[in-house]
Amino acid sequence: MRVLYLHGFASGPKSRKARFFSEKLAAHGVTVETPALDGGDFGNLTISGQLAILERIAGDDPVVLIGSSLGGYVAALHAARNPKVQRLVLLAPAFSFHQLWVQSMDPAAFDTWKREGSVPVFHYAEGRELRIGFQLMEDSAKYEPWPEFSQPAYIFHGTEDHSVPVEYSVEFAQSHANARLIRLHSGHELTDVLDVIWKRSAPFLLGHKWSI
């Protein structure tokens, strides 16, 4: 069984959640692959680029996907296009990514980003500010906000999430019978409830329980 962990925006393969799932699944003899979704070029990050990296790594093999935030959205997009994906665990997935950013940014700041071509953001994996190009917005506008994948999925979302409102996952789960939403008293990172998430998702991830 191949399991891929997809990190979030301005994060990386060594994030706390990536390491957590890698360690937990390693105890069951499962190696988790954690690709760098920016391909080493964060400034030119796009949804298309992330999907291309994921498609290249996954190949034609059956895979299980764990995705956090933007990585969750990318996982959902990939699953909608690839029946080889068996199941998904999505952590505060950034559904409607493009609109989410447009709504969350000050209009003047958004216009400045578009005019200047890039803006600085804090990159958690690097521990410093890096610039991100406006091509991320141009490219993300091409993708559907609510990917129509049919594979079974667990969605974990914090009720105190101020980055991606839990209502996004509520809306998705209400219109997709294949997805089960578990709301947790936590914020966007979910790092304080990882043991709860593992307890709920482990049988599903390991293939012992296919029904959601």
Side-chain angles (χ1 to χ4, degrees):
M1 183 177 70
R2 294 187 65 195
V3 178
L4 278 65
Y5 179 90
L6 309 181
H7 63 78
F9 176 77
S11 185
K14 296 181 180 180
S15 71
R16 181 175 174 183
K17 290 193 288 288
R19 289 184 283 109
F20 177 86
F21 280 101
S22 294
E23 292 167 4
K24 289 294 187 181
L25 286 165
H28 293 270
V30 178
T31 298
V32 177
E33 300 169 61
T34 56
L37 294 176
D38 63 5
D41 186 10
F42 177 72
N44 290 307
L45 182 74
T46 61
I47 300 295
S48 295
Q50 292 176 85
L51 285 171
I53 289 172
L54 178 53
E55 289 164 6
R56 183 173 68 252
I57 292 173
D60 293 325
D61 294 334
V63 294
V64 175
L65 301 179
I66 306 172
S68 174
S69 193
L70 176 55
Y73 178 55
V74 171
L77 287 170
H78 180 75
R81 293 155 171 76
N82 292 273
K84 289 288 187 177
V85 175
Q86 296 179 314
R87 50 197 179 277
L88 305 92
V89 170
L90 307 178
L91 312 173
F95 292 127
S96 194
F97 176 78
H98 178 82
Q99 192 63 28
L100 182 66
W101 269 64
V102 172
Q103 292 177 344
S104 65
M105 286 191 73
D106 176 80
F110 190 84
D111 289 341
T112 298
W113 185 12
K114 183 176 182 179
R115 184 176 64 254
E116 296 185 356
S118 67
V119 291
V121 298
F122 187 79
H123 195 288
Y124 295 96
E126 293 287 334
R128 60 191 175 96
E129 283 193 339
L130 296 177
R131 299 192 73 84
I132 180 72
F134 191 74
Q135 78 285 330
L136 177 62
M137 287 294 95
E138 295 173 326
D139 180 75
S140 63
K142 300 185 296 186
Y143 290 93
E144 67 272 25
W146 313 102
E148 293 293 335
F149 63 87
S150 59
Q151 299 91 329
Y154 267 114
I155 302 174
F156 296 91
H157 211 128
T159 56
E160 307 303 311
D161 191 331
H162 300 299
S163 297
V164 181
V166 67
E167 287 75 20
Y168 281 51
S169 287
V170 171
E171 181 175 344
F172 185 86
Q174 286 178 341
S175 60
H176 293 79
N178 57 308
R180 178 177 180 181
L181 171 63
I182 298 176
R183 284 173 274 198
L184 301 166
H185 184 66
S186 185
H188 185 63
E189 293 301 315
L190 298 171
T191 50
D192 58 335
V193 289
L194 285 176
D195 287 332
V196 176
I197 292 173
W198 172 251
K199 183 178 180 180
R200 298 295 297 269
S201 66
F204 180 73
L205 280 170
L206 294 167
H208 302 320
K209 182 174 68 174
W210 284 83
S211 173
I212 61 167

